[in-house]
DNA sequence: TAATTCAAGACAACCGTTTGCGCGATAAAA
DNA sequence: TTTTATCGCGCAAACGGTTGTCTTGAATTA
């Protein structure tokens, strides 16, 4: 069964393709009467324009590319998922679809192929890295794109969560409880978020005129064996509290604590980023931060749409957070 | 800067577009000498064919649609992620990209729009439901598609994990330890996997000529409040062991056990599906099943490629599993 | 009434490929 | 030598829309 085309519609109504096209797009000169006649016919016969042909004529695909870093040691899944849902929500409302690009941050090949093939009208990067070759590449070509998470590339339009303030506030809360020896365990140093959180951590100390214990900052802590050593080290240093930069790290730390009979919050306080499902069922409940990732995705997608439509959204959109107090820091 | 087109290449070399097209595709009659001359020129000037134009001419998009159910209470994220990675791997190797479709299982609108717009060459459903309206719709239209997870629609080509055998084996292990009063806590009854697991559970009993305690089967257990009641109920019934159909349920059950001072494995044994990161850091370690989801994604995508290329893959591909023994059932 | 304006819509070129068909040249078969 | 196959390649028509320009007839103005 062949699909019905614009010519079929035109012939059936005894008008030209132009007229049908204009009736649909609403652009160009056409009488209301004719427009309605065309639209009625289209409705009745369920004509759907061929988007491919439309793409070719207009150089527009109605797809947006969303880049998800293909890193297996990142347990940021709920983040990506919620973010995607937010993007999808806005995209769908404008009849755009999502082309998912899964590649390691340093690898621009798939992205380049997709751009060369003109398969998308714009790009959203769901995570950015300190020296992000994808961001660099995108800013050189003339493609609309949005980064989620800040980047050092001048031209990039960004949507971000306020990780710096969040980490500042979390750290401050602990410091004000008299906990001075606070360890910070973080993941990949090359994430821009990691840097931002670190900055907030430092600022909390300096604002209270307290010294940061540099020896208690542990970044790039990914693998379980390494993390065990880290915890070991933390314990020998008579630490008061630990802030974990993600919830997967936190569960591991908690496990090691239990193995070593370190009680929380008795012997040690602990707090984490994201109040994700992974932590939800811990006893004691864990103090953590809550960000609205779906909102983040929505904001990113809205901004991208603006750029695609030729407008210029504000350069940086920063979204808030919430501290969720738990028993683990009482 | 305009993009270089096939006509530019043809003109530059003094040949026709036909010849250039043939040199690239390798189809049609062309001398080796000419082909190489064309390919060399293309390489040097970095000509990339316009995929949109190609799509229009060939009615082919080099996109595959992947459907992810937009259900917030499903904590199957690692499953979907690994699956996606597997799909991506195969797709990319054939220069296909992934169009991500996020919709609730009962909602076929986005899917219909995408099909009407001919934006994909085929579809993969990452989860199927008992009465899956998406599957039903797809099997009516003439679109290549693969379901992950079995379905009752005749024409569907399926890739599946052997949840029935897996649950059978897991249950058998417990039964053979003398644990007869086994509770089964499951999520959404409308997932086909849920049904399959239930079948395996039952079979384990019947094979050992033991009666299934129907009153210990708890399906559709999603929300935390409801789950608490369920656990309460299980405890009053003097149960020996609990099998949780997913790891998120399991962590909640474990939490409630701890609250009520039910010790694992002393007072109660427990086992779960998937050995995901959520469970990784529990003490005691949890007995669970391990499936290779990435492999599943790969298999699904390979089969879809077969269909798209006009071949007929086998109707059902079933992948294995592994039981990961833990301290929780010792 | 003639000249001017303008809205409605048709025509045809164009977007960048693929592909069926035809044509001349060369090689093989009769 | 003539007929037939085969080969290498170009022509032009698709694929299904959009859009700038032109035509037509009716309304407006002088």
């Amino acid at each position: 069964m062949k699909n019905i085309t614009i010519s079929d519609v035109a012939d059936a109504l005894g008008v030209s393709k132009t007229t049908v096209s204009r009736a649909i797009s609403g652009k160009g000169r056409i009488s209301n009467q004719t427009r309605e006649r065309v639209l009625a016919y289209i409705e009745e016969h369920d004509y759907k324009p061929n988007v491919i042909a439309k793409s070719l004529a207009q150089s527009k695909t109605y797809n947006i590319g969303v880049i998800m870093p293909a890193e297996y040691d990142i347990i940021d899944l709920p983040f990506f998922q919620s973010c995607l849902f937010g993007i999808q929500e806005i995209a769908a409302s404008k009849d755009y679809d999502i082309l998912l690009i899964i590649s390691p941050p340093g690898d621009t090949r798939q992205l380049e192929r997709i751009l060369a093939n003109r398969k998308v009208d714009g790009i959203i990067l769901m995570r950015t890295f300190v020296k992000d070759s994808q961001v660099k590449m995108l800013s050189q070509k003339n493609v609309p794109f949005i980064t989620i998470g800040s980047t050092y590339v001048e031209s990039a339009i960004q949507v971000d969560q306020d990780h710096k303030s969040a980490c500042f506030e979390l750290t401050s809360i602990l410091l004000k409880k008299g906990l001075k020896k606070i360890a910070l365990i973080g993941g990949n140093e090359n994430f821009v978020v990691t840097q931002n959180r670190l900055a907030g951590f430092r600022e909390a100390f300096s604002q209270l005129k307290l010294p940061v214990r540099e020896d208690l900052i542990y970044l790039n802590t990914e693998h379980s064996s390494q993390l065990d050593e880290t915890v070991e080290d933390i314990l020998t240093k008579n630490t008061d509290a630990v802030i974990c930069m993600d919830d997967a790290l936190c569960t591991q730390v908690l496990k090691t604590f239990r193995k070593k009979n370190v009680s929380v919050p008795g012997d040690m306080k602990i707090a984490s980023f994201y109040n994700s499902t992974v932590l939800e069922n811990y006893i004691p409940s864990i103090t953590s931060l809550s960000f609205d990732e779906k909102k983040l995705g929505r904001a990113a997608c809205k901004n991208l749409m603006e750029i695609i439509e030729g407008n210029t959204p504000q350069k940086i959109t920063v979204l808030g957070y919430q501290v969720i107090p738990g028993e683990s820091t009482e």
Side-chain angles (χ1 to χ4, degrees), chain A:
Chain A
M1 182 196 83
K2 271 196 85 261
N3 271 301
I4 165 171
T5 75
I6 198 172
S7 303
D8 298 332
V9 176
D11 291 351
L13 291 171
V15 298
S16 70
K17 295 194 292 177
T18 310
T19 304
V20 178
S21 176
R22 285 184 181 145
I24 295 168
S25 69
K27 291 173 194 166
R29 300 190 296 207
I30 186 174
S31 71
N32 275 328
Q33 194 190 342
T34 313
R35 185 208 314 288
E36 273 159 31
R37 203 160 62 93
V38 173
L39 292 182
Y41 184 91
I42 284 175
E43 174 72 20
E44 187 189 349
H45 293 77
D46 196 36
Y47 161 70
K48 308 268 185 187
N50 181 320
V51 178
I52 306 290
K54 208 170 161 181
S55 292
L56 184 59
Q58 298 186 136
S59 304
K60 210 164 165 347
T61 63
Y62 297 94
N63 287 151
I64 59 174
V66 178
I67 303 181
M68 176 163 176
E71 296 271 281
Y72 291 90
D73 50 347
I74 296 170
I75 321 292
D76 271 348
L77 264 50
F79 170 84
F80 290 122
Q81 150 129 348
S82 304
C83 209
L84 264 175
F85 280 16
I87 294 171
Q88 148 76 20
E89 196 181 303
I90 302 301
S93 75
K94 308 213 170 193
D95 282 354
Y96 274 73
D97 294 297
I98 293 178
L99 202 82
L100 191 64
I101 306 170
I102 304 174
S103 12
D107 186 350
T108 58
R109 287 174 304 175
Q110 197 195 355
L111 182 54
E112 287 194 82
R113 199 199 68 224
I114 285 171
L115 294 178
N117 289 349
R118 306 161 193 81
K119 286 184 100 168
V120 297
D121 297 339
I123 298 275
I124 295 176
L125 288 104
M126 287 208 291
R127 267 280 188 260
T128 46
F129 295 80
V130 171
K131 284 185 177 177
D132 199 310
S133 55
Q134 294 173 339
V135 174
K136 196 181 294 170
M137 199 205 74
L138 286 169
S139 56
Q140 278 160 8
K141 313 216 171 194
N142 201 20
V143 192
F145 75 100
I146 294 280
T147 68
I148 289 182
S150 53
T151 159
Y152 301 128
V153 172
E154 279 286 327
S155 58
I157 294 182
Q158 309 164 9
V159 174
D160 207 356
Q161 296 160 323
D162 196 352
H163 285 264
K164 188 176 169 187
S165 302
C167 199
F168 169 82
E169 188 174 334
L170 187 58
T171 310
S172 298
I173 287 173
L174 298 180
L175 286 174
K176 283 172 185 163
K177 290 190 178 185
L179 309 163
K180 309 247 160 101
K181 280 166 286 184
I182 305 177
L184 182 69
I185 306 182
N188 196 328
E189 187 174 22
N190 289 319
F191 276 135
V192 174
V193 278
T194 307
Q195 296 295 336
N196 290 342
R197 291 168 186 170
L198 181 57
F201 181 76
R202 285 220 160 87
E203 198 167 311
F205 282 87
S206 72
Q207 186 146 324
L208 293 171
K209 305 218 189 317
L210 293 168
V212 181
R213 282 280 296 270
E214 294 295 335
D215 64 324
L216 286 177
I217 297 175
Y218 304 87
L219 295 189
N220 300 312
T221 315
E222 300 280 5
H223 307 296
S224 47
S225 59
Q226 191 194 337
L227 183 56
D228 283 350
E229 285 171 36
T230 301
V231 173
E232 200 89 46
D233 203 49
I234 287 173
L235 291 175
T236 62
K237 286 176 179 165
N238 199 23
T239 312
D240 297 326
V242 177
I243 296 176
C244 298
M245 280 209 201
D246 79 52
D247 295 352
L249 287 175
C250 189
T251 61
Q252 269 196 56
V253 171
L254 285 166
K255 177 191 188 179
T256 316
F257 282 173
R258 273 176 71 191
K259 267 196 197 156
K260 298 192 175 288
N261 285 316
V262 177
S263 89
V264 174
D267 303 332
M268 178 82 79
K269 320 290 180 199
I270 191 165
S272 183
F273 269 72
Y274 309 124
N275 68 332
S276 68
T277 47
V278 187
L279 282 184
E280 216 167 55
N281 292 303
Y282 266 84
I283 301 175
S285 61
I286 308 295
T287 300
S288 64
L289 293 162
S290 165
F291 297 91
D292 189 341
E293 274 98 16
K294 206 175 167 193
K295 195 170 170 187
L296 189 70
R298 281 196 217 103
C301 196
K302 266 181 205 151
N303 280 5
L304 183 61
M305 293 292 153
E306 290 291 320
I307 306 180
I308 290 175
E309 285 163 10
N311 308 320
T312 337
Q314 47 184 319
K315 198 133 182 183
I316 302 183
T317 311
V318 178
L319 278 69
Y321 60 93
Q322 241 188 315
V323 179
I324 311 285
E327 298 153 1
S328 67
T329 53
E330 272 170 14

